[in-house]
Amino acid sequence: MSFLFGKKKTPAELLRENKRMLDRSIREIERERQGLQNQEKKLITEIKKTAKQGQMAAVKVMAKDLIRTRHQITKFYALKSQLQGISLRIQTLKSTQSMGEAMKGVTKAMRQMNRQMNLPALQKIMQEFERQNERMEMVTEVMGDAIDDALEGDEEEEETEELVSQVLDEIGIDIDSQLIKAPATSVAAPAAPTKVAQATATSAEDPGIDDDLQARLDNLRKM
């Protein structure tokens, strides 16, 4: 009735309608086949009953009817198989159409995205990103080196004290008790100038490290 009102069905609607009709036909064929199988069972029972009564003419007639029924059941199996094959083809067409529509939408979106892309601008952005990333890595490296240089002496001193304490504990010597028992004259007075000399030597090496850090910072300013 849709053609009377000038409305044309889409291919998807036609496929869905035909698929529904095929499914309905398959169900009807299945009901007919089940009915014939029930009739087959009844005929077998009647044939056995009639054969026991010795009515062989009736047995032959019912045997022919049984053979026709079995042939019809076989035909229904074949018809159902054919209809299921057609239904699968319709389902495949429907899936193919859906895939085509999806690909059409994706292609349209990709075309719009490509039109909006500015390759020179993207290349400039990527170059700037790479430059800033390198600068950030350099800053992180400089700060890490500065922190390591500042904490290096304290860490070595703590590790040295821990190692000495561990060794003394293993040989059973209590360093606190040994310090209490030690005479007051054991501390040498000229030790202070030695430490001052060592500090002076250390401070003489620091300008080299500061120059290295300064050079890295100058490189960052130039970027």
Side-chain angles (χ1 to χ4, degrees):
M1 297 295 294
S2 59
F3 64 91
L4 295 178
F5 300 97
K7 183 180 178 181
K8 186 177 180 180
K9 293 183 179 181
T10 62
E13 291 176 349
L14 291 174
L15 289 175
R16 185 164 52 252
E17 182 178 353
N18 292 328
K19 178 73 164 49
R20 196 183 303 112
M21 292 174 60
L22 285 173
D23 293 339
R24 188 183 303 112
S25 299
I26 291 173
R27 288 193 298 269
E28 292 177 356
I29 290 173
E30 185 66 19
R31 284 195 296 268
E32 292 292 336
R33 184 186 60 80
Q34 291 177 356
L36 289 176
Q37 286 180 341
N38 294 331
Q39 184 178 353
E40 179 186 8
K41 293 178 181 179
K42 292 179 181 179
L43 284 174
I44 292 174
T45 303
E46 290 293 331
I47 288 173
K48 291 180 180 179
K49 182 178 179 181
T50 306
K52 289 180 180 180
Q53 295 175 357
Q55 300 177 5
M56 300 307 297
V59 169
K60 291 181 180 180
V61 173
M62 286 187 292
K64 291 181 180 180
D65 193 8
L66 178 61
I67 292 173
R68 295 191 190 98
T69 302
R70 288 179 175 177
H71 287 170
Q72 193 66 26
I73 291 173
T74 303
K75 290 180 180 180
F76 277 133
Y77 272 120
L79 183 59
K80 179 183 176 182
S81 177
Q82 292 175 356
L83 290 178
Q84 286 178 341
I86 297 173
S87 178
L88 288 175
R89 290 183 180 181
I90 292 177
Q91 185 64 35
T92 302
L93 288 174
K94 185 178 179 181
S95 300
T96 304
Q97 182 186 10
S98 300
M99 183 179 66
E101 293 294 333
M103 292 181 65
K104 180 180 179 182
V106 171
T107 303
K108 183 178 179 181
M110 291 176 65
R111 183 168 57 251
Q112 293 178 354
M113 292 284 292
N114 290 329
R115 288 177 180 176
Q116 294 177 359
M117 285 184 180
N118 189 351
L119 293 180
L122 289 176
Q123 186 177 6
K124 185 177 180 181
I125 292 172
M126 294 304 297
Q127 290 176 354
E128 182 65 20
F129 172 78
E130 184 178 1
R131 188 183 304 110
Q132 294 299 330
N133 189 29
E134 291 178 356
R135 183 175 182 180
M136 183 183 65
E137 291 180 355
M138 190 175 295
V139 171
T140 304
E141 183 180 357
V142 170
M143 294 298 296
D145 292 342
I147 294 174
D148 292 339
D149 293 340
L151 300 179
E152 183 176 2
D154 295 337
E155 292 179 355
E156 290 181 356
E157 185 177 356
E158 291 178 0
E159 291 178 359
T160 302
E161 292 179 358
E162 291 178 359
L163 181 60
V164 172
S165 300
Q166 182 179 359
V167 173
L168 293 177
D169 291 338
E170 290 178 357
I171 63 178
I173 297 177
D174 188 358
I175 187 170
D176 294 333
S177 62
Q178 294 295 329
L179 290 175
I180 293 174
K181 294 179 181 179
T185 58
S186 60
V187 179
T194 305
K195 294 183 178 180
V196 173
Q198 293 176 353
T200 304
T202 304
S203 62
E205 296 176 355
D206 290 341
I209 299 175
D210 294 339
D211 293 339
D212 186 23
L213 294 178
Q214 186 64 35
R216 294 184 181 181
L217 292 174
D218 292 339
N219 290 331
L220 290 176
R221 292 191 184 97
K222 294 178 180 178
M223 293 182 65

